[in-house]
Amino acid sequence: MCSLGHLPTGLVRHLQTQRSSLREDLLGPCRLWDQTVWARLSALRGQLIYSILDIPPWYLCILMGIQHFLTALGGLVAIPLILAKDLCLQHDPLTQSYLISTIFFVSGICTLLQVFFGVRLPILQGGTFAFVAPSLSMLSLPAWKCPEWTFNASLVNTSSPEFTEEWQKRIRELQGAIMVASCVQMLVGFSGLIGFLMRFIGPLTITPTITLVALPLFDSAGDSAGVHWGVAATTIFLIVLFSQYLKNVGIPVPVYGGKKCHTSKFHLFQVFPVLLALCLSWLLCFVLTITNALPTAPTAYGHLSRTDTKGNVLSQAPWFRFPYPGQWGVPTISLAGVFGIIAGVISSMVESVGDYYACARLVGAPPPPRHAVNRGIGIEGLGCLLAGAWGTGNGTTSYSENIGALGITRVGSRMVMVAAGCLLLLMGVFGKIGAAFATIPTPVIGGMFLVMFGVITAVGISNLQYVDMNSSRNLFIFGFSIYCGLAIPNWVNKNPERLHTGILQLDQVIQVLLTTGMFVGGFLGFFLDNTIPGSPEERGLRAWHQVQEPQETAATLQVYGLPCLPCGPAARTRHLPFWPRLEAGEAPPAGSQLAGLCPDSRGDTPKAAGATKL
């Protein structure tokens, strides 16, 4: 250590002044940036009713959790019903209800794992349509085609051992393929490969990925709403009315406090627009059903709007049934199924990364850092492993519909998603309740999807605010990626025979990838953005990464740190790519939930944000 005692007093003072000036020059921008980040996040959170770290009252958590459950209901119920025919279950509604209860139960487990230990954003986990195409392709192989007698209802005895073995051996084959493919996803996530790729992923990759999550679904959403456009339009009208026009209208409610009762205004329409709209539209369909205003003929237009079309599921489902791993038997594995599901895993991971960023924007959280993305993808892989073990016939992924609900309700609390996860667990155990929710008429769900998918599309496009859209380079990348993400899957679906290579597994992988719009658009955006010359400012990378990196030790750790676990740079965890860590000498922001909890590298607890060292 150099001593200044032998130097003249004036020179010593001059050196001390220069050192203080240099220190302020170095630390000033860091402190200014941290203050700017917190100011922006505070402004965004001010537009939310509840931000990600807020804890609403327990009864609001339950009601808003029900709303998220209803939002995901269409996708959760649709997947087992889509697979039913190829599993030889089209004449066995009781087993279909078992599959629905199982996917409810596993979705609840995966949601809780993701919220507590994964990316830690309020994202609901559920079945993924990315696995449906490879599953149907595998079940269409000659070895797994259903026998002709299973298509005749008069020849099917659902309680016979022969019939039980026919459908169980098919779902066991799906289970094995999903469990093997999930190991690939866990490896990619927990190894940090996804986090490594994030340094090359910018707005021009994320934007087409998120946008093409919703745009290709216009066909299915339109078909569901088209079952009865009057009912669908009523649902859309109610959602728009509650979420946009009546959002600032307060409803007087009695409140007890201070030893007296008084009234307080509660913004009911702003908090529960989707739930209220679904319930009112459902009630309308029930009234039209009991008055026979809707047609009773199965082939007539509007018949599926009746609330009694799915009554057989409700009557046959048991009151209580606890799903368990291996309930259909020991899973089996085939190479064709594994390769097909791996293609679905790739598409699901690309979609989930986009969902993480979209969710973070809507709930007032900073963009997820690499370690959070790594954990999120790894936990989704673990969820797919659990889904395969329980036998849902599908995997698990982040639900984009619920991200759209966050944008409409402006309720981003993590505890609401915890309530939704617990509700999914209960729905999986109480068979009658889950079956009752499954009777929501198809056009009601279709009307809700039209609104939700529109919000998701807008959230994806909003990421272009970081990019210079006056640049012809960026206009080309964005437009070409979006257009190819719509055109190429449409052509492949119409001409699947043109892609035959003679290798069945390779054909399945190619077809699944090229029919997934978000993969096609996201891959083209990623490739072109990283190969076509452009400055970081032009590409939006400087603004994009500035929002991420400087917050690693401040805002992000509040949201993405693991609960009740050490977050300091311990020797055992510093090299784990999925482990959050507070850099040596850094302190959490003043007033944060982490202040006083995370020791630094010396084992000391930081005193305050002002003690931050460079």
Side-chain angles (χ1 to χ4, degrees):
M1 191 72 180
C2 213
S3 175
L4 301 178
H6 64 284
L7 296 178
T9 304
L11 181 58
V12 170
R13 291 178 179 175
H14 175 72
L15 291 175
Q16 290 175 342
T17 302
Q18 292 297 321
R19 183 178 64 179
S20 301
S21 177
L22 177 60
R23 173 183 173 85
E24 192 60 34
D25 289 342
L26 291 173
L27 289 180
C30 297
R31 292 170 179 166
L32 179 61
W33 173 257
D34 195 56
Q35 294 170 0
T36 303
V37 168
W38 279 98
R40 291 179 179 177
L41 290 177
S42 299
L44 181 56
R45 288 168 181 163
Q47 301 173 7
L48 297 169
I49 302 175
Y50 294 103
S51 67
I52 185 171
L53 298 177
D54 294 334
I55 302 178
W58 64 269
Y59 52 89
L60 289 183
C61 288
I62 294 176
L63 291 176
M64 288 184 283
I66 294 175
Q67 179 170 264
H68 278 286
F69 168 75
L70 292 175
T71 303
L73 184 64
L76 292 173
V77 174
I79 291 174
L81 298 181
I82 292 172
L83 296 174
K85 181 179 179 181
D86 291 87
L87 291 172
C88 314
L89 292 174
Q90 65 269 35
H91 299 301
D92 189 1
L94 181 59
T95 303
Q96 293 180 25
S97 70
Y98 291 165
L99 290 177
I100 291 174
S101 296
T102 302
I103 202 170
F104 282 170
F105 188 82
V106 175
S107 297
I109 295 176
C110 297
T111 298
L112 295 177
L113 287 175
Q114 190 68 266
V115 172
F116 284 116
F117 303 107
V119 73
R120 304 218 67 204
L121 288 170
I123 299 180
L124 189 137
Q125 303 291 294
T128 169
F129 284 93
F131 286 13
V132 171
S135 299
L136 296 179
S137 298
M138 188 195 75
L139 295 174
S140 65
L141 297 176
W144 299 111
K145 282 187 177 180
C146 293
E148 290 296 329
W149 61 268
T150 61
F151 296 100
N152 190 339
S154 61
L155 299 177
V156 173
N157 181 7
T158 57
S159 60
S160 67
E162 180 185 8
F163 175 76
T164 302
E165 178 61 22
E166 281 295 334
W167 68 264
Q168 284 190 356
K169 68 181 182 182
R170 286 166 174 78
I171 198 169
R172 289 197 298 264
E173 189 73 12
L174 277 179
Q175 287 182 253
I178 292 170
M179 293 177 72
V180 173
S182 67
C183 296
V184 176
Q185 185 169 1
M186 286 192 291
L187 177 64
V188 171
F190 290 130
S191 67
L193 182 58
I194 281 289
F196 170 76
L197 292 176
M198 292 311 297
R199 67 183 63 180
F200 304 105
I201 295 178
L204 289 174
T205 302
I206 296 295
T207 298
T209 301
I210 300 177
T211 304
L212 290 169
V213 167
L215 279 182
L217 297 176
F218 73 91
D219 194 22
S220 58
D223 288 343
S224 298
V227 168
H228 196 294
W229 277 108
V231 175
T234 301
T235 306
I236 295 171
F237 169 76
L238 292 174
I239 294 177
V240 174
L241 177 67
F242 295 151
S243 65
Q244 303 300 323
Y245 293 99
L246 300 180
K247 62 182 179 181
N248 295 322
V249 176
I251 305 297
V253 294
V255 177
Y256 180 79
K259 298 183 179 181
K260 64 178 181 179
C261 187
H262 61 279
T263 60
S264 177
K265 287 189 176 182
F266 176 66
H267 293 81
L268 177 69
F269 303 115
Q270 189 179 51
V271 178
F272 302 116
V274 178
L275 180 60
L276 291 174
L278 286 181
C279 291
L280 291 177
S281 298
W282 196 358
L283 179 62
L284 173 64
C285 290
F286 176 74
V287 173
L288 295 178
T289 299
I290 61 177
T291 58
N292 284 326
L294 294 172
T296 56
T299 57
Y301 177 79
H303 172 72
L304 293 179
S305 300
R306 298 180 63 91
T307 56
D308 57 1
T309 56
K310 303 175 183 178
N312 57 344
V313 178
L314 182 61
S315 62
Q316 296 183 18
W319 278 104
F320 301 99
R321 182 180 180 276
F322 193 84
Y324 57 92
Q327 57 186 334
W328 317 129
V330 179
T332 58
I333 299 173
S334 68
L335 192 61
V338 170
F339 271 93
I341 298 297
I342 286 177
V345 164
I346 296 173
S347 302
S348 177
M349 288 191 294
V350 174
E351 177 187 358
S352 294
V353 172
D355 287 340
Y356 297 160
Y357 282 89
C359 182
R361 281 182 55 80
L362 290 176
V363 301
R370 293 193 191 100
H371 64 77
V373 175
N374 294 340
R375 287 202 316 274
I377 296 299
I379 291 295
E380 284 194 16
L382 177 60
C384 289
L385 182 66
L386 297 178
W390 257 264
T392 64
N394 197 254
T396 183
T397 190
S398 301
Y399 256 42
S400 304
E401 301 95 308
N402 292 81
I403 297 176
L406 293 173
I408 290 180
T409 62
R410 297 197 295 174
V411 176
S413 173
R414 194 155 46 198
M415 295 308 298
V416 171
M417 203 55 65
V418 172
C422 295
L423 184 65
L424 282 167
L425 288 173
L426 292 177
M427 293 301 104
V429 174
F430 295 97
K432 288 288 186 183
I433 299 178
F437 279 113
T439 62
I440 295 179
T442 303
V444 176
I445 297 175
M448 177 189 63
F449 280 171
L450 288 176
V451 177
M452 295 300 174
F453 294 152
V455 173
I456 296 171
T457 302
V459 169
I461 296 175
S462 69
N463 286 282
L464 293 177
Q465 64 181 300
Y466 300 103
V467 178
D468 180 12
M469 291 310 293
N470 292 320
S471 168
S472 59
R473 170 195 181 274
N474 296 339
L475 290 174
F476 164 74
I477 294 175
F478 173 68
F480 182 72
S481 301
I482 291 290
Y483 202 78
C484 286
L486 295 173
I488 292 177
N490 181 64
W491 183 87
V492 174
N493 283 323
K494 292 180 178 179
N495 305 276
E497 71 283 352
R498 300 294 182 88
L499 299 176
H500 286 177
T501 63
I503 304 175
L504 181 61
Q505 294 86 352
L506 181 60
D507 292 344
Q508 291 178 349
V509 172
I510 293 175
Q511 184 166 357
V512 170
L513 291 179
L514 295 183
T515 54
T516 306
M518 86 274 295
F519 175 81
V520 175
F523 174 78
L524 288 175
F526 173 81
F527 177 77
L528 295 175
D529 188 35
N530 285 278
T531 55
I532 298 178
S535 65
E537 292 81 4
E538 183 182 13
R539 298 171 59 189
L541 292 180
R542 188 175 300 277
W544 183 260
H545 290 294
Q546 275 183 341
V547 175
Q548 298 180 43
E549 299 301 333
Q551 301 177 50
E552 281 288 348
T553 58
T556 55
L557 204 54
Q558 271 201 95
V559 178
Y560 302 106
L562 290 172
C564 303
L565 291 175
C567 51
R572 296 185 300 273
T573 61
R574 69 172 61 187
H575 299 298
L576 296 178
F578 57 86
W579 196 272
R581 53 189 177 273
L582 197 63
E583 298 297 335
E586 295 288 348
S592 76
Q593 296 176 348
L594 294 168
L597 295 179
C598 297
D600 61 17
S601 58
R602 302 180 305 274
D604 300 328
T605 301
K607 304 303 180 185
T612 300
K613 298 180 180 179
L614 184 63

